[in-house]
Each structure stands twice: as C-alpha cells, then as structure tokens.
Amino acid sequence: MGNFSELDMYLFGQATHYDIYKKLGAHPQVKGKKKGICFAVYAPHAQKVFVLGEFNGWDETSHELKRLEPETAGIYELFVPGLGTGSLYKYLIETPDGRKLYKADPYANFAEMRPGTASRIVDIDHFKWSDDAWMKKRQACETMDEQPMSIYEVHPGSWMRHPGYEEDSGFYTYREVARALTDYVKEMGYTHVELMGISEYPFDGSWGYQVTGYYAPTSRYGTPEDFAWMVNYFHKHNIGVILDWVPAHFPRDNFALARFDGTALYEHEDSRRGEHRQWGTYIFNYGRKEVTNFLLANGIFWTQAYHLDGLRVDAVASMLYLDFAKEEGEWLPNQYGGTENIEAVEFLKHMNSVLVGQGNGAILIAEESTSWEGVTKDVKENGLGFTLKWNMGWMNDFLDYIHYDPIYRKYHHNKLTFGMAYHFSEKFILVLSHDEVVHEKSSMIGKMPGDDWQRFANLRLAYGFMYGHPGKKLLFMGGEFGQYQEWCEARSLDWHLLQYADHIHMQTYMKELNHLYLAEKPFWEKDYDADGFSW
C-alpha cells in the first residue's frame, strides 16, 4: 500500500481528506532506516507515471511510480532512498494513446523561477514559528463584526523595488518586504495586508490570478521558508495577513493542471462547463471529489502551514453562475434548468464550514459582484458561509458619484445613500481595489474632477466618506498618497512623488484617518448592526 492507507484513499474520494497535501506531492520520509523522498501523484487515466529531475539526470524511465491499490483511486507513488531536498523534478505521464506529458507537481511546495516550469523538492515542516501571541489572539476572536479592519492591498513585486534594475527584476525578497512593509503599515495605521500574486504563476501580467502552483509561494521573492518568515514577522508586529486565493479557474499551460493525465481531470471535458473563453482559462470540475479535495485542502494548507489569517476568494460570481460572461449556446444549465452552479455552491459551503470550523480564527472573504442572497449567511441557514463580502455595488456607485464636478453632485446623492438600503443584508467590506486602477480606468487621483488642488481635496473627501460609512475598509497600494499613474505590475509605485507637498499631505491625511478609525469604536463596533448608523 505504501504511504497511503485505505482510509486515505476513501477520504480523498469523498473530498474530506483535509490534509491530503501531506500525502500527495514530494515529501521527506524515512522508510526502515533509509531517508529519502516519497513522490505521490493523482493521475487516474495515466498508463504509466515516471519522475525525472536533477537527481537522475532527467532520465525519463529510471524512476517509475507504482499504481497503488485500489487502482480506481488513481494514485501513483514512489520512494527514492538517499534523495534530499533542493532538486528540480517533473512527472512524465504516459497516456493510453501513447502521448508523453511533462507535468509540474500539483501539490509541489516550491517551484522553479519562471520562465522555468519544474517543481522543486523542499521541506516546509521545520520553520520555527514565534507568533503564538498573535495566533492565540486570533483564535479568541469569535467574529470580525466588532473588530476594526483596514486592509492595505499589496502586490509585493511592484509595491517597492530596488532601483536601477530592469523591469522584470529588482524584486524585494519576502524578508525585505516584511521589514519595509511592516514599518509602513504600522505607521499608516492599517490592520491587515492583503497579498496578491503569492501562489506560483508563470506570467507576471496575470498578477497571480492564473495559478499553476496552488501549494507553492512564488519563487520570485524567495523560498517557502522566507515566505513563512514574512508572515511570522507581520504577526509579531500585530499585522494580519490575507491571501488572494483563486479556486475559480486555472490556466491552459500544458506543464500544469490542464488535461493533467491526458484527460480533462481537473476541468470539465465539455467546454460549455469547463472553459472561461473570456479569460482563456479552464474551470475546475467541482463535481469531481478529488478536485474539490485538492481545493479544500489548499485553502486549509495556507491557513495552517503558513498561519495566514484569511483568504480573499477571487471571482466568486464566476463560480456561482453557469452562464457567467457567456453567450447563448456557450453554457449548459443545471439539472433543474437553472443558471446556478450547484456543485460550486456546495464546494463553497463545504470550504467555508470546514475552514471557519477549524476554530482558529481564519476568515474567508468573497469577491462576489452580484446580488446572490446569503453570501455571508451561515451555511446552517442555507448561506454560503463567508465571513465578509466585497461591496462592489458601493464601489461602483461611489466612484460614479465622485467623478462629477461638485456643482452637479446634488443631482446624484442617491448614489451615496443607496448602499445603506442593502448594507445590512451582508457583512460588507468597502473596497477600492487594484481592479479600479488598471485597464485605463485611471488612478484614484485621476478619477477626481478639477485642477490639482480640487483633485486632492476630492480624494480626501472620498476616503473620508468611505471611513464614515459602515463596513470594513480596503485600499489598494498607491491610492494612499495619490499616485497619478495607473498601477502596472512591472514597475514600482511612484514613491518619488512624496517629495511634493500634495502627495505628502494626502499620505498624512490617510495616516491620520486610519489612526482615528482605530481609536474610535463607533467607526467599526457596530458595522453590521442597524442601530449602529444613522444619516
């Protein structure tokens, strides 16, 4: 049987093996008196599976994995004695029709630096955490309802870079980000950082939303140990860490999950269920238990192995609706003829009940852009069970309002007040995120009307209104000091602007606003209680 027991196989097939990541992948192990690495991969339709890498000179046939019983489980495994960490590797999957597929490990904990696509053997179990005080405090916090939350959304590769480098280099390491960002966030008064682009991905321009390594912090900024060190450092300075998480879709890159064993394994075979043509990606098959187990365990992995405080779940609307961004004939209805993706709904309920049910204080935040009922309602009451939800409606209405010249705003005050008509239907975060400052939408300061003086005054007004409105807060980096350029992942923020008085004043205003928000309980203590607000 090897590393897998019959119980492991059974739980994996039921989507309830919540630490399957400790079994699948490449892990140090001792068998008898021999130390080595145990490789295990799920590839039910493979004819044969081999592992090749630096350790065997990339020999394609010297290390064949054995298919475990029962064969229907589709697990292949091999223990390689004498092998240590550090080696690059891939799986060679031979399909029944004779094709050879060279695949990165779906459960790998580290990956080769792009443009390389191999996985790397690493041991992530021996980092010495020293954030006990933070973790105990987090566990004791039963709800975010009556806690302050001001989130600074950050793309680490472009927040700040070492000067004098080409566009695709000069990154701060995880440890450098930890030190510099902690100092900045504490001074500015934010309670949390939300990190984009952490799970490994090949293309910088996807910002990390086309993931190929769900269990691997990107190698762009260092090792898994460096990433753990960063989270630990944030926690020791009382800063929460939220991860952008992408269980809605994955890219077509042929070295990763796409057609993994020669068949549509992680995705649906039928393109009407299995593809987002608009994004050029595949949709996870939430009806296959082993696939939902992959995702469920991944969410738990980040909160347990790396102590992350929460996940912001990307593109939830695209998961909920079968016809999301699709034309007539491009989608299939569910068994009742409706547009709801019943399997995805069940996955989200399962995910939220299990992850929040751990009782360690980790939270789940939905980026959900529709009026789906009960996103933050308890699963037991037929809700989806998220802790919080991004308020996209407030964001759209408010940005529409604020772009008007003040003389015309009196005709549009309904844009300000409408949000309170539905605010208490969900537990909302007010967001001015990265999505609002890209694709020619202009920067936050660029959205404001008038001359420079008026633009800065309007932006201060905008943030003041945001902080006075019920709901937690999120602002994307650069918005706090009035960056003029749209955000671009290939360059640093324009920190040089802080030599000018307008930008210094803008930054100082945001710092004072955050600290006022933290100090005054009425700003956050009754965010989701109708008695806590009146016009």
Side-chain angles (χ1 to χ4, degrees), residues 120-167:
R120 192 181 293 278
I121 302 168
V122 68
D123 184 357
I124 65 168
D125 291 332
H126 298 293
F127 181 78
K128 289 183 169 56
W129 292 90
S130 55
D131 61 348
D132 287 356
W134 171 270
M135 296 300 281
K136 285 175 183 173
K137 184 177 82 169
R138 188 181 93 182
Q139 191 169 351
C141 178
E142 291 185 7
T143 173
M144 286 306 303
D145 292 12
E146 297 183 358
Q147 302 295 322
M149 187 179 229
S150 179
I151 303 168
Y152 188 52
E153 188 189 15
V154 175
H155 177 267
S158 60
W159 178 69
M160 194 174 282
R161 289 191 178 189
H162 294 294
Y165 285 83
E166 297 299 319
E167 282 197 338

Side-chain angles (χ1 to χ4, degrees), residues 37-262:
I37 300 295
C38 188
F39 295 94
V41 65
Y42 170 62
H45 303 103
Q47 188 73 24
K48 290 183 178 181
V49 178
F50 302 87
V51 63
L52 58 155
E54 292 176 322
F55 66 93
N56 65 5
W58 298 97
D59 187 311
E60 293 192 354
T61 57
S62 63
H63 288 76
E64 183 176 356
L65 280 69
K66 180 185 176 185
R67 188 164 185 139
L68 302 183
E69 296 290 344
E71 288 198 2
T72 51
I75 304 292
Y76 285 83
E77 186 184 72
L78 176 69
F79 176 70
V80 182
L83 179 57
T85 59
S87 182
L88 292 174
Y89 71 99
K90 276 192 176 183
Y91 294 118
L92 166 56
I93 294 175
E94 290 189 2
T95 66
D97 59 2
R99 287 175 295 141
K100 290 183 175 182
L101 308 175
Y102 299 87
K103 294 288 188 177
D105 188 343
Y107 288 84
N109 293 132
F110 197 24
E112 185 179 12
M113 173 69 111
R114 55 101 175 94
T117 58
S119 302
R120 192 181 293 278
I121 302 168
V122 68
D123 184 357
I124 65 168
D125 291 332
H126 298 293
F127 181 78
K128 289 183 169 56
W129 292 90
S130 55
D131 61 348
D132 287 356
W134 171 270
M135 296 300 281
K136 285 175 183 173
K137 184 177 82 169
R138 188 181 93 182
Q139 191 169 351
C141 178
E142 291 185 7
T143 173
M144 286 306 303
D145 292 12
E146 297 183 358
Q147 302 295 322
M149 187 179 229
S150 179
I151 303 168
Y152 188 52
E153 188 189 15
V154 175
H155 177 267
S158 60
W159 178 69
M160 194 174 282
R161 289 191 178 189
H162 294 294
Y165 285 83
E166 297 299 319
E167 282 197 338
D168 67 344
S169 60
F171 292 135
Y172 273 36
T173 66
Y174 287 121
R175 294 179 191 239
E176 289 172 327
V177 167
R179 295 186 183 99
L181 193 52
T182 290
D183 290 346
Y184 187 71
V185 163
K186 284 182 73 68
E187 182 188 352
M188 291 299 294
Y190 292 102
T191 62
H192 292 71
V193 291
E194 181 177 310
L195 301 175
M196 296 169 57
I198 295 299
S199 300
E200 191 60 84
Y201 59 105
F203 176 49
D204 288 13
S206 78
W207 313 333
Y209 291 111
Q210 295 205 3
V211 177
T212 51
Y214 275 83
Y215 287 85
T218 179
S219 55
R220 286 167 175 80
Y221 318 125
T223 66
E225 183 175 309
D226 295 331
F227 178 72
W229 192 94
M230 178 180 72
V231 176
N232 191 62
Y233 192 87
F234 282 137
H235 283 172
K236 287 171 73 174
H237 290 86
N238 290 311
I239 298 166
V241 189
I242 297 164
L243 180 77
D244 262 15
W245 189 54
V246 193
H249 63 129
F250 60 93
R252 295 167 176 266
D253 297 66
N254 59 16
F255 71 88
L257 295 179
R259 302 298 193 261
F260 185 77
D261 61 1

Side-chain angles (χ1 to χ4, degrees), residues 159-429:
W159 178 69
M160 194 174 282
R161 289 191 178 189
H162 294 294
Y165 285 83
E166 297 299 319
E167 282 197 338
D168 67 344
S169 60
F171 292 135
Y172 273 36
T173 66
Y174 287 121
R175 294 179 191 239
E176 289 172 327
V177 167
R179 295 186 183 99
L181 193 52
T182 290
D183 290 346
Y184 187 71
V185 163
K186 284 182 73 68
E187 182 188 352
M188 291 299 294
Y190 292 102
T191 62
H192 292 71
V193 291
E194 181 177 310
L195 301 175
M196 296 169 57
I198 295 299
S199 300
E200 191 60 84
Y201 59 105
F203 176 49
D204 288 13
S206 78
W207 313 333
Y209 291 111
Q210 295 205 3
V211 177
T212 51
Y214 275 83
Y215 287 85
T218 179
S219 55
R220 286 167 175 80
Y221 318 125
T223 66
E225 183 175 309
D226 295 331
F227 178 72
W229 192 94
M230 178 180 72
V231 176
N232 191 62
Y233 192 87
F234 282 137
H235 283 172
K236 287 171 73 174
H237 290 86
N238 290 311
I239 298 166
V241 189
I242 297 164
L243 180 77
D244 262 15
W245 189 54
V246 193
H249 63 129
F250 60 93
R252 295 167 176 266
D253 297 66
N254 59 16
F255 71 88
L257 295 179
R259 302 298 193 261
F260 185 77
D261 61 1
T263 69
L265 184 63
Y266 285 87
E267 66 275 39
H268 282 275
E269 182 73 51
D270 191 321
S271 63
R272 292 172 294 177
R273 280 281 174 92
E275 293 184 30
H276 275 308
R277 291 184 181 176
Q278 184 184 37
W279 297 339
T281 54
Y282 286 130
I283 301 168
F284 281 104
N285 182 352
Y286 305 104
R288 178 170 278 142
K289 297 295 187 181
E290 294 86 356
V291 173
T292 53
N293 204 146
F294 169 80
L295 291 168
L296 288 162
N298 185 242
I300 292 166
F301 164 81
W302 288 109
T303 61
Q304 289 195 345
Y306 287 114
H307 291 202
L308 290 172
D309 303 297
L311 305 173
R312 173 266 192 187
V313 185
D314 181 62
V316 172
S318 76
M319 301 170 69
L320 295 174
Y321 298 98
L322 295 165
D323 61 345
F324 180 86
K326 292 183 178 180
E327 302 295 330
E328 193 68 39
E330 293 181 351
W331 62 282
L332 287 175
N334 62 34
Q335 62 261 46
Y336 305 111
T339 60
E340 301 84 7
N341 188 334
I342 295 168
E343 294 162 341
V345 170
E346 287 309 307
F347 160 70
L348 289 170
K349 288 181 176 182
H350 191 170
M351 180 77 233
N352 288 322
S353 60
V354 170
L355 196 139
V356 176
Q358 292 177 118
N360 66 9
I363 63 172
L364 279 145
I365 302 168
E367 187 230 353
E368 202 284 305
S369 54
T370 74
S371 55
W372 184 282
E373 188 177 347
V375 172
T376 56
K377 203 174 181 180
D378 195 299
V379 171
K380 294 172 186 172
E381 299 171 16
N382 204 32
L384 294 183
F386 282 95
T387 316
L388 300 163
K389 172 180 170 173
W390 275 23
N391 195 336
M392 316 291 274
W394 175 88
M395 176 272 296
N396 284 314
D397 285 347
F398 182 63
L399 291 182
D400 187 51
Y401 171 86
I402 202 73
H403 92 274
Y404 287 106
D405 188 288
I407 197 170
Y408 300 116
R409 286 180 184 162
K410 62 185 176 183
Y411 305 113
H412 302 280
H413 282 158
N414 61 305
K415 296 283 186 181
L416 292 185
T417 58
F418 180 62
M420 289 310 300
Y422 60 84
H423 174 77
F424 298 108
S425 66
E426 299 281 5
K427 295 178 180 179
F428 283 117
I429 299 179

